[in-house]
Amino acid sequence: MQELLTGKRRLPGCTGDWESVQLTKVAKLESGHTPSRNRPEYWDGDVPWVSLHDSKLLDVDVVMRTSLTISELGLLNSSARLLPQGTVIFSRTATIGKSAVLGCPMATSQDFANYVCGPEIYNHFLVRLFRYMEEDWKRLMAGSTHNTIYMPIFKKLRVTIPKFEEQVEIVDHL
């Protein structure tokens, strides 16, 4: 996989020891939510809220702003969660496969699968891996109204990763 991601067989200092892990064992999976649109007080607040309106913004590595915001009241009165800076977000509906790292605490719509990475996985490596998996995502799409990848897929998802230091080295090289 290192060769596929970087074009080189071995980067300096890399061991080549990669492990297949269930992603939820090394990163906490979170979903998003949309506060009620019938409650204007839930909108236009101080909480950045990533939605499908932001699809074009997800071509960058780090998302710093969003098209829409929600209020603290909207956050408190919905299933939306304030995700920490550094969370990896993945668009799982419509524009499937767009992925980035949150540059500050934000919430997302339910169109996103979000991973709060633990110490075993580098968030920027996970973004690169998700982007590399484009063909896999196409195979996993389902739905009659619009394409989506359902949350149980993300709960069971396995990835192959090297040690953390090697993940950083690969991302630095890319």
Side-chain angles (χ1 to χ4, degrees), residues 34-47:
T34 302
S36 174
R37 299 262 187 203
N38 296 329
R39 304 289 301 266
E41 65 272 21
Y42 290 177
W43 294 90
D44 299 321
D46 294 330
V47 180

Side-chain angles (χ1 to χ4, degrees), residues 124-140:
H124 290 277
F125 179 84
L126 185 57
V127 167
R128 294 295 196 291
L129 186 59
F130 281 166
R131 290 176 180 174
Y132 169 76
M133 293 172 60
E134 182 178 354
E135 293 303 314
D136 297 304
W137 302 127
K138 287 179 184 175
R139 284 190 293 94
L140 295 168

Side-chain angles (χ1 to χ4, degrees), residues 140-159:
L140 295 168
M141 289 180 198
S144 56
T145 306
H146 52 75
N147 285 327
T148 192
I149 299 176
Y150 294 104
M151 286 304 283
I153 297 289
F154 294 99
K155 290 177 183 173
K156 295 188 278 185
L157 184 63
R158 294 187 71 80
V159 295

